[in-house]
């Protein structure tokens, strides 16, 4: 994949991994109008499939998603518009992995396969991130709940604790989770929800993070403030915080 130098503008939007038709056209060096035509062909074939199912050929089985719900064209492709420099409205489509795969089937040429594979790899990477984000959100509910229920709670407490944990885990190499994300190549708002845990590489760091979070939850439930917890954790030979608030 190293020979691929085109931009693969696959992004996370509303917890979904998508790419738009403009980015696909650019990556495959095609006119956007040609890409739009291919998507319209897919839509026409899709409509024909549904009509065949409801009309002449009842042996055609429509696509099904989880829950046995019939998949429709707009589950894969969503039409949108942007304003061009000349003020004209220009149509484009956003598509998920399945939509991209349908579109990619219509693209051929000598350089096409490596670019297709690069897109698939990028989808894999970002979909893994969304899965880990969902898991992390569930796991972090306890910590976030403890922070919210603290009598010392302020809105910035969430980021303050996350950044403090980042400092502890990275031995002050990174002062904020944002800096660690950017150092790993995740720039932009679409990556702002990537958690500290998702950015850690070693099992040792992950175990240490879990231990620190569990300790912080316990201390927050005993009504210790962020300042008190930070003071304890940043002292090399500090005595353990009392198990009961005085």
């Amino acid at each position: 994949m190293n020979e691929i130098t085109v931009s693969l503008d696959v992004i996370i939007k509303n917890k979904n991994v998508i790419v738009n038709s403009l980015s696909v056209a650019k990556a495959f060096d095609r006119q956007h109008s040609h890409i739009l035509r291919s998507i319209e062909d897919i839509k026409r074939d899709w409509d024909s499939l549904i009509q065949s199912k409801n009309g002449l050929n009842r042996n055609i089985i429509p696509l099904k998603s989880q829950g046995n719900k019939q998949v429709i064209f707009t589950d894969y492709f969503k039409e949108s518009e942007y304003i061009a420099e000349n003020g004209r409205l220009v149509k484009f489509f956003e598509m998920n992995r399945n939509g991209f795969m349908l579109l990619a089937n219509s693209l051929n040429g000598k350089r096409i396969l490596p670019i297709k594979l690069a897109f698939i790899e990028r989808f894999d990477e970002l979909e893994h991130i969304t899965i880990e984000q969902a898991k992390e959100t569930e796991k972090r509910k306890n910590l976030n709940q403890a922070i919210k229920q603290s009598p010392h709670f302020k809105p910035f407490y969430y980021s303050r604790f996350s950044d403090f944990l980042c400092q502890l885990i990275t031995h002050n190499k990174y002062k904020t989770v944002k800096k660690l994300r950017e150092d790993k190549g995740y720039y932009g708002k679409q990556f702002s929800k990537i958690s500290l845990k998702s950015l850690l590489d070693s099992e040792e760091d992950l175990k240490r993070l879990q231990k620190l979070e569990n300790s912080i939850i316990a201390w927050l439930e005993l009504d210790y403030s962020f300042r008190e917890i930070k003071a304890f954790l940043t002292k090399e030979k500090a005595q353990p915080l009392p198990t009961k608030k005085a």
Side-chain angles (χ1 to χ4, degrees):
M1 299 291 219
N2 294 332
E3 71 275 12
I4 299 298
T5 59
V6 297
S7 176
L8 305 178
D9 295 323
V10 184
I11 64 170
I12 298 173
K13 181 179 179 181
N14 298 327
K15 300 181 181 179
N16 296 310
V17 181
I18 63 167
V19 66
N20 67 53
S21 54
L22 294 159
S23 298
V24 172
K26 181 179 179 181
F28 287 97
D29 195 24
R30 300 295 175 91
Q31 293 292 324
H32 186 233
S33 59
H34 295 169
I35 297 298
L36 290 179
R37 190 177 306 124
S38 294
I39 295 175
E40 293 293 348
D41 288 343
I42 294 170
K43 185 178 186 303
R44 186 184 63 251
D45 292 343
W46 198 302
D47 291 340
S48 297
L49 173 65
I50 300 302
Q51 291 171 6
S52 296
K53 169 63 174 62
N54 295 329
L56 298 177
N57 189 350
R58 295 184 180 275
N59 292 322
I60 297 178
I61 302 175
L63 291 167
K64 300 283 186 178
S65 64
Q66 289 185 352
N68 207 37
K69 176 181 176 292
Q70 181 172 309
V71 178
I72 60 176
F73 176 80
T74 52
D75 289 330
Y76 289 179
F77 297 92
K78 295 192 182 299
E79 184 176 331
S80 190
E81 293 179 327
Y82 74 96
I83 302 176
E85 293 181 357
N86 60 8
R88 185 170 60 89
L89 283 176
V90 177
K91 180 174 74 173
F92 70 97
F93 285 90
E94 292 179 336
M95 68 201 82
N96 60 16
R97 174 199 285 269
N98 291 334
F100 170 78
M101 295 302 294
L102 289 174
L103 175 60
N105 285 336
S106 67
L107 302 174
N108 298 293
K110 292 182 178 179
R111 294 183 62 248
I112 295 301
L113 181 58
I115 300 174
K116 288 179 181 179
L117 293 175
F119 266 106
I120 292 171
E121 184 176 301
R122 185 60 172 157
F123 268 104
D124 286 342
E125 178 184 356
L126 296 190
E127 285 173 356
H128 175 73
I129 288 174
T130 60
I131 291 171
E132 290 303 310
Q133 284 178 348
K135 291 179 179 178
E136 184 63 16
T137 297
E138 188 64 29
K139 288 180 179 179
R140 290 187 63 83
K141 280 183 179 178
N142 288 337
L143 177 58
N144 287 340
Q145 186 177 11
I147 291 172
K148 187 174 182 179
Q149 292 177 348
S150 167
H152 311 283
F153 173 77
K154 296 184 185 299
F156 56 79
Y157 249 36
Y158 297 115
S159 60
R160 179 167 288 186
F161 271 106
S162 292
D163 290 339
F164 177 54
L165 284 167
C166 181
Q167 294 165 25
L168 292 174
I169 296 297
T170 65
H171 304 287
N172 285 314
K173 181 179 180 180
Y174 298 99
K175 297 296 184 182
T176 65
V177 177
K178 180 182 178 183
K179 289 293 185 183
L180 178 57
R181 277 197 301 265
E182 291 176 348
D183 190 60
K184 290 184 175 291
Y186 299 115
Y187 294 89
K189 290 184 178 179
Q190 69 266 30
F191 297 116
S192 62
K193 298 298 182 181
I194 296 179
S195 67
L196 173 59
K197 182 176 180 179
S198 299
L199 298 168
L200 300 179
D201 299 319
S202 74
E203 189 66 28
E204 181 181 351
D205 285 342
L206 290 169
K207 288 181 179 179
R208 187 174 178 221
L209 176 63
Q210 186 63 60
K211 184 177 180 180
L212 285 168
E213 286 186 347
N214 290 340
S215 296
I216 289 173
I217 289 171
W219 292 328
L220 285 170
E221 290 175 347
L222 292 170
D223 294 345
Y224 284 101
S225 67
F226 171 79
R227 182 176 297 179
E228 290 173 310
I229 295 172
K230 181 179 180 180
F232 167 71
L233 289 174
T234 51
K235 290 179 181 178
E236 293 183 2
K237 296 183 179 180
Q239 294 297 315
L241 280 172
T243 56
K244 192 172 184 179
K245 186 79 169 179

